[in-house]
Amino acid sequence: MILLATLLFASQDAITKILSTEFPVAVIVMVRFWVMIVYAMIFMRIKRVPLRRSLESPRPYLQIFRSIVLVVEIGFFVVSVRTLSLAEIHSLMATFPLMVTAMSIPILGEKVGLRRWGAVAVGFVGVLIILRPGFGVFDIGAVYGLITAALFALYNVLTRLAGRTDSSETSFFYFSLVGVIACTVVGGFQWVPPTGTELLMMLGIGVTSSFAHLFLILALNYAAAATLQPFNYMLLVWAVIVGYVVFGDLPDLWTVVGALVIVGSGLYTIYREHARRGARNAEVTPRL
C-alpha cells in the first residue's frame, strides 16, 4: 500500500511538472483541491462521519493554519518543479524528516539528543553536496525546493500537534475544505481555459493525489506510522524512474551522492526515534 502511494505521488508530480509551464500555479493547485474536496466528502461518507462533526475541533485556528501551510507548500512545489527534475526536487524534499526533528523542539516540546542533531547536520551537508554553492550550478528552484521541504515539515509538526485533540478525519477534512476555499479565491482570478487533454491532466493530479492518500490511509490501518516511515523514501526512487521515463532526466553523480547522505541521515534519525521510544516504553512497562 505504501509503495503504491509513493508511486502515485511521483506520478502526480510528473503531471504537475508538465502543466507548470502552461498554467498559473494557483490554477493547478485549485483544480487539485476541487478533486480533493469531492474525495474528502466521499471518504467521510464511507467512514460514516457527518460533515458537521468533521469540523468540530477544540482548536479550529490551528487546523486552518496548518491547512494554509500545506496549500502554500504545494504552491512552492509547483514553482520549484518548473526548473528542477523530479529527482532533484525529491532529493531536497527528503530533508523534511530532519527539519521535523528540529521543529519538534519549540512546537511540540520534544527533546532531541546530540546524535539526532548530528544526523540533522550531516543531512544538510547532503544538501550542500546537491547545491554545490560556488560552483556555478545553483538554481533558484533549489531555494524554492528547500522552502517546500521546510513548509512540509512544519505541516507535519502542526498535524502532530492537532492530532493530540482531533481525529485524522477532522484534520483531513479541514485540509481539503480550507484548501479548496483558499485556492478558489486566488486561482479563480487567474483561470486559463484548458484544452480537453490539459483538463484531463489537471483532473489526473487530483485523482492520483486522492488515491495516493487513500492507499496511505489503508497502509496505516495495517502497520504503525513508525514502521511505514522509512518506506516514504521510496518516493525518491519512483521520482528518478518516472522522471527518466517521462522527461528523460537522470540525476547527476553529485545529486545521487547528496541524496544518499540525506536519506542515510533521515533513516538514522528514524532509528534513534524508535530507540528512544523503546527505551521510554521499557521504563514505564511493568515486568510480569
Side-chain angles (χ1 to χ4, degrees), residues 256-271:
V256 172
V257 172
L260 289 174
V261 172
I262 293 169
V263 170
S265 302
L267 290 174
Y268 180 76
T269 301
I270 294 169
Y271 163 73

Side-chain angles (χ1 to χ4, degrees), residues 59 62 107-108 156-166:
R59 292 186 287 185
L62 172 62
I107 298 176
L108 300 177
N156 275 265
V157 173
L158 293 175
T159 299
R160 284 190 197 176
L161 185 62
R164 292 176 177 177
T165 55
D166 294 334

